[in-house]
Amino acid sequence: MSKNIIIASTSTLHDGDYLEYLLPELKIHFENCKTILFIPFARPSGITHEEYTAKVALAFAKIGKVVKGIHQFDDYSIAIKNAEGIFTGGGNTFLLVAQLYKKDCMIALTEAVKNGTPYLGTSAGSNICGLSMQTTNDMPIVYPPSFKTLGVISFNINPHYLDADLLSKHMGETRETRINEYHSFNNVPVLGLREGSWLKVTGDKVVLKGNLTARLFLQNQIPVEIESETDISYVK
């Protein structure tokens, strides 16, 4: 079976409900799934696994899907292996990756996604689709045993990508500066995904979706804007 993945920059757009902008797409993406396995490890704002799962269940109920949190199962790897569809939500990527390793889930999740289990990632759940989590925006609140992630696409993601505000008096680094710093030591391409953008991965095909362009960073090259509906399978 071939990969079937949605890699979204964010779960929520300004003035919208949780996952609202993606629901039409998710209805198709998860059409053959009655139940979605949710991985709540990233815990945005420190909410509990139960609270996070309840929030996700509310959103998926709108398209007739039942959600079960992975924490409700005795064996996490078997839960992943048997899942009809999988969603990993946003929050802190360091915490998410640390937990995936601690709970011995990283390999099972990689295999499930590569074998065609429909997968949705938002924010931190998108970060882990790349070769590593090194282009996250998050604070290192815990220490994962490795930065290596699922590698179901051949580049890294920078979710919530923000363009520099030319009118701002803030003198801190821009997102572009940080990605350039990453490229001082690493040659893995980085795609800056703006809010409301997502990647649709079907087999080996990776297509940018949504109304906005994405910003592609390659080591020692000028960044380029990628138009929506562009096939970026060539990025490696």
Side-chain angles (χ1 to χ4, degrees):
M1 293 185 69
S2 62
K3 289 179 287 189
N4 185 14
I5 311 168
I6 291 176
I7 301 170
S9 177
T10 190
S11 59
T12 312
L13 291 182
H14 181 67
D15 286 342
D17 287 336
Y18 187 76
L19 291 178
E20 183 182 19
Y21 79 103
L22 272 174
L23 285 179
E25 186 80 14
L26 297 183
K27 193 170 185 179
I28 300 164
H29 186 64
F30 290 117
E31 62 182 342
N32 297 319
C33 309
K34 291 180 181 176
T35 304
I36 310 296
L37 179 70
F38 176 55
I39 300 176
F41 294 158
R43 295 180 58 196
S45 304
I47 64 172
T48 66
H49 292 156
E50 290 78 14
E51 289 169 331
Y52 201 0
T53 303
K55 180 179 181 177
V56 171
L58 212 59
F60 272 99
K62 295 174 184 174
I63 55 170
K65 306 298 177 187
V66 174
V67 171
K68 288 189 176 177
I70 196 170
H71 59 284
Q72 297 170 251
F73 293 84
D74 292 329
D75 190 313
Y76 291 2
S77 292
I78 290 175
I80 289 168
K81 190 176 180 181
N82 293 337
E84 295 177 307
I86 300 171
F87 170 37
T88 305
N92 187 282
T93 311
F94 287 89
L95 180 57
L96 170 60
V97 172
Q99 287 293 301
L100 286 172
Y101 277 112
K102 184 180 178 183
K103 305 293 186 184
D104 212 15
C105 293
M106 191 68 82
I107 292 171
L109 187 56
T110 302
E111 288 175 351
V113 178
K114 285 185 175 178
N115 288 335
T117 303
Y119 177 87
L120 166 66
T122 61
S123 188
S126 292
N127 260 326
I128 63 170
C129 290
L131 298 174
S132 81
M133 58 158 284
Q134 286 167 276
T135 51
T136 178
N137 308 304
D138 299 332
M139 284 189 174
I141 59 172
V142 294
Y143 189 39
S146 172
F147 290 147
K148 187 179 177 185
T149 46
L150 304 179
V152 293
I153 52 174
S154 57
F155 51 90
N156 277 1
I157 298 290
N158 180 250
H160 314 292
Y161 181 78
L162 280 173
D163 295 286
D165 180 357
L166 300 178
L167 300 177
S168 173
K169 293 180 173 62
H170 175 65
M171 297 303 290
E173 304 134 319
T174 64
R175 195 65 59 76
E176 185 163 329
T177 302
R178 289 182 174 183
I179 294 170
N180 287 335
E181 288 171 351
Y182 168 79
H183 274 150
S184 296
F185 297 93
N186 304 273
N187 62 5
V188 175
V190 180
L191 188 72
L193 267 183
R194 297 182 175 95
E195 303 296 71
S197 295
W198 68 94
L199 298 178
K200 175 66 177 169
V201 183
T202 311
D204 293 325
K205 190 175 183 181
V206 184
V207 178
L208 177 65
K209 296 286 186 176
N211 298 323
L212 302 170
T213 59
R215 196 157 175 83
L216 177 63
F217 296 85
L218 302 172
Q219 190 182 44
N220 300 325
Q221 294 186 35
I222 295 169
V224 293
E225 292 293 323
I226 304 288
E227 297 292 330
S228 181
E229 299 299 328
T230 300
D231 183 340
I232 56 169
S233 312
Y234 65 90
V235 178
K236 289 184 169 103

